[in-house]
Amino acid sequence: MQLIESLKRNYDVSEKELEQVYQENIEKYTSDVWVQVLAAEMQAEMGVDQAQEVAEELGEETDRADLVRKYPDVNFYELEMSSLNTQEGKSGVYAQRWLIASSLEEGQVCEPFQIGERFMVMRCLGRDEDKSEPFETVKNVLESDVLTSMAKSEIAQAVQAAEVEYQEKILQQAALEVLK
């Protein structure tokens, strides 16, 4: 990996070239499902009744400032998730959040559910299918992938061009030792 990272510094890829690679591989950057949700996260000790009340409020109200005033102990935030980026977290703790959000239709509010020591409720603000990630969003990852590919190609070419010198007698002796 250190060699690859070192070789990547020797290359330069223009934005135009990156855009061309992006267009040629657009399916890699297209989500099956994309959702934007307004999430409400609260401590479990607030209870399921409080979580249900927040869920009902989310069915009527989407202004975060108003929701925060009414429920100061609840963390309200907007979140975009997609099949390409489920936002499930490194440990996978938020996998359930994605599973529920991906099944919501625009305007729909899910039933409260528990994640660890917290209750969560979400309202779907937007939903799209077969949505491509914008070029600007994937540009840095795409550039790294292209540079990595170039470095690996250089390494493969060097390996093929390398001439290996050996002494046949020493190899035969080593093979005989292994077979004993």
Side-chain angles (χ1 to χ4, degrees):
M1 288 310 296
Q2 288 176 338
L3 175 59
I4 289 172
E5 291 303 315
S6 175
L7 290 173
K8 285 168 62 171
R9 289 186 214 114
N10 297 334
Y11 302 110
D12 188 34
V13 181
S14 71
E15 188 150 332
K16 186 176 180 179
E17 290 170 311
L18 288 175
E19 286 179 9
Q20 182 179 348
V21 172
Y22 170 78
Q23 289 301 327
E24 290 170 357
N25 297 284
I26 192 77
E27 69 281 347
K28 286 175 55 179
Y29 308 105
T30 302
S31 301
D32 295 330
V33 175
W34 170 90
V35 290
Q36 180 182 17
V37 296
L38 175 58
E41 211 170 319
M42 64 211 84
Q43 294 295 328
E45 62 253 13
M46 291 180 72
V48 72
D49 291 339
Q50 180 74 30
Q52 188 60 48
E53 184 180 319
V54 171
E56 290 170 14
E57 188 70 27
L58 275 178
E60 304 296 321
E61 180 66 64
T62 59
D63 184 276
R64 277 178 47 191
D66 288 344
L67 291 165
V68 168
R69 275 192 290 281
K70 190 164 186 175
Y71 300 99
D73 294 335
V74 176
N75 182 22
F76 293 95
Y77 56 93
E78 287 187 21
L79 180 64
E80 289 185 20
M81 296 175 275
S82 71
S83 55
L84 295 176
N85 186 2
T86 62
Q87 301 280 338
E88 64 185 28
K90 289 183 181 182
S91 66
V93 69
Y94 283 110
Q96 184 180 4
R97 178 178 68 182
W98 160 248
L99 291 173
I100 292 171
S102 66
S103 67
L104 294 173
E105 296 297 326
E106 191 167 333
Q108 187 178 6
V109 178
C110 70
E111 290 296 316
F113 59 98
Q114 193 163 356
I115 293 181
E117 301 296 318
R118 304 178 78 69
F119 276 115
M120 186 165 222
V121 179
M122 295 179 292
R123 177 183 177 147
C124 182
L125 300 175
R127 178 186 176 90
D128 204 350
E129 295 180 13
D130 298 321
K131 180 177 179 171
S132 298
E133 294 288 326
F135 172 73
E136 288 301 319
T137 303
V138 299
K139 182 171 97 173
N140 291 338
V141 171
L142 181 60
E143 180 179 30
S144 180
D145 289 348
V146 168
L147 294 174
T148 297
S149 177
M150 294 168 92
K152 285 182 176 181
S153 178
E154 181 179 340
I155 292 169
Q157 288 173 359
V159 166
Q160 278 193 319
E163 289 187 31
V164 179
E165 293 182 20
Y166 61 92
Q167 293 180 349
E168 191 171 335
K169 190 170 190 149
I170 293 174
L171 284 178
Q172 286 176 345
Q173 187 178 7
L176 288 173
E177 300 255 340
V178 170
L179 292 173
K180 288 183 183 179

